Amino acid sequence: GQVELQLGQRAQALLVDETALGAEQGTRYLLTLDERNTITYRPVGVGERIGAWRVIRDGLGPDDRVVVSGLMRLRPGMTVTPEEVAMDSATTSTMAATAARSQP
């Protein structure tokens, strides 16, 4: 048999909308924007799903800007004019707490 032990809790977790994630040959990725609003390809490690959100374990920082719509029309290297959308802080705080409790 297998045994899974929880050794600690993560204090914080990065969450992104599940629809922002792409998959290519077994690699999960996000499209992000650099400081010049150029699309970049970012391979990421994903964790569990929490509602419509996915925990991002590695490959993304808290200050990165993630593309969440128009993904089929965009390619890395393109320059865009973004429309920033704020996440609902009350909802994401609750989800982040849930994610932190569920992380090994």
Side-chain angles (χ1 to χ4, degrees), residues 13-70:
L14 290 173
L15 303 171
V16 298
D17 190 316
E18 178 75 20
T19 61
L21 281 163
E24 182 176 74
Q25 296 182 359
T27 300
R28 300 298 300 263
Y29 69 90
L30 293 167
L31 296 179
T32 60
L33 294 175
D34 67 12
E35 63 280 347
R36 293 176 302 211
N37 294 326
T38 302
I39 303 288
T40 58
Y41 174 92
R42 184 78 61 95
V44 294
V46 298
E48 66 275 354
R49 187 173 180 168
I50 301 171
W53 304 91
R54 180 66 74 165
V55 173
I56 303 299
R57 293 182 187 254
D58 57 65
L60 188 70
D63 295 326
D64 290 327
R65 296 184 297 162
V66 177
V67 177
V68 295
S69 66

